[in-house]
Amino acid sequence: MSGNGTTAGDDPLQTAVWRLRSRACWADAAALLRPDTPATSLQRASLLVERCLYTEQGWEEAEDALRTAEAQAHTDEERGAAACERGQLAYASTLHTVRDRADEARAALGRAAALIPPGAPGRALLDYRRGLLAENLTRSPQAARAAYRRAHAGATAHPDPLLLSFTWRHLAGLALREGELTEARHGFAESLRIREELGYLVGTAPALASLAETETEPEATRLRDEARRLFRLLGGVPTWLSRQLSPPDAATA
């Protein structure tokens, strides 16, 4: 799920949903939405799918919400968006070794690609998620980079700063693996800047930890300490960040 954060002109309901989502309260945010239209059903499903990725919990609730969204989808755009969420849920399940659903993820995102035309607003998020699949399941960094770049261009063309924070972050991660430290530092810094401006608290700790990987001391330690503070504040979410933030002496403690 993407999203632009909040502005003064936002719908009060959407502002409340964003604030809860950004503070890792996905279930509370979803509870504000009545699944009585294709749009609200899809948004509710998206929130619960995102919770699975960040917390490794809530799989059944996400499946139920997604089935409702799929049943209510009637246009190609709605069916494509629902397929994109189906692919993301299957990806998260595979990534967290809950159940291997890699084939389902590929099929769902392929179905979404057939329904969402290039240049459409929803295409950038789809391209980003296809990049995740290529990077983390297929282990194809070149394909991942191409998908992230398409997503980055789409998020720029249809202004979506939150998605831009993700594409900056993942392009920077690929650069870091290749030893391109300056490029990686710039990308991670841009991702952090956007997330802080949007108030996307649940994504700020990962951004701080990633930027720390490109900095020298004492700045690296300062960034990691701030990331640990936010991580504890949000109750250990995202769960996968705990390994990256483990103190150096944790293994011998």
Side-chain angles (χ1 to χ4, degrees):
M1 182 182 180
S2 189
N4 297 319
T6 59
T7 66
D10 275 349
D11 181 296
L13 173 61
Q14 290 302 321
T15 297
V17 168
W18 166 256
R19 287 175 177 168
L20 288 166
R21 175 195 175 195
S22 66
R23 288 159 177 77
C25 300
W26 294 280
D28 291 337
L32 296 178
L33 299 169
R34 295 180 59 185
D36 51 8
T37 69
T40 55
S41 289
L42 180 67
Q43 186 180 11
R44 186 172 180 275
S46 299
L47 288 165
L48 296 175
V49 168
E50 187 172 81
R51 179 177 66 164
C52 292
L53 184 62
Y54 277 75
T55 69
E56 304 179 53
Q57 297 177 359
W59 302 97
E60 286 302 320
E61 293 92 335
E63 287 283 359
D64 289 344
L66 187 50
R67 281 192 289 268
T68 298
E70 289 168 335
Q72 292 188 5
H74 298 301
T75 67
D76 281 353
E77 181 180 2
E78 291 165 356
R79 286 191 289 267
C84 188
E85 292 304 326
R86 169 65 62 188
Q88 182 71 352
L89 183 60
Y91 162 77
S93 176
T94 306
L95 184 71
H96 290 312
T97 65
V98 175
R99 183 158 61 91
D100 187 349
R101 299 171 61 179
D103 288 343
E104 180 187 352
R106 293 187 190 95
L109 294 182
R111 188 162 63 252
L115 292 166
I116 304 173
R123 187 73 184 209
L125 179 61
L126 171 60
D127 285 333
Y128 166 69
R129 288 175 171 176
R130 296 180 91 179
L132 292 178
L133 211 68
E135 179 180 3
N136 298 314
L137 300 190
T138 310
R139 306 296 180 188
S140 176
Q142 289 185 334
R145 182 181 291 105
Y148 291 146
R149 284 175 174 167
R150 290 194 301 272
H152 194 85
T156 302
H158 301 279
D160 188 339
L162 182 60
L163 183 56
L164 277 174
S165 83
F166 281 94
T167 55
W168 273 121
R169 172 174 161 76
H170 282 271
L171 285 168
L174 293 175
L176 183 61
R177 291 183 193 178
E178 295 178 353
E180 299 292 340
L181 194 62
T182 301
E183 181 181 345
R185 183 183 297 115
H186 174 70
F188 287 139
E190 283 297 296
S191 179
L192 175 61
R193 177 188 63 79
I194 293 170
R195 292 178 180 194
E196 288 181 333
E197 288 178 356
L198 293 176
Y200 188 55
L201 195 61
V202 72
T204 301
L208 287 163
S210 292
L211 183 58
E213 296 296 318
T214 69
E215 294 288 357
T216 57
E217 298 298 348
E219 181 64 8
T221 292
R222 186 193 70 79
L223 290 167
R224 289 192 185 95
D225 287 345
E226 179 63 11
R228 289 189 189 99
R229 186 188 70 80
L230 288 174
F231 181 70
R232 289 193 296 267
L233 179 67
L234 293 174
V237 176
T239 53
W240 41 262
L241 191 59
S242 61
R243 296 182 293 275
Q244 190 174 349
L245 291 179
S246 295
D249 59 347
T252 58

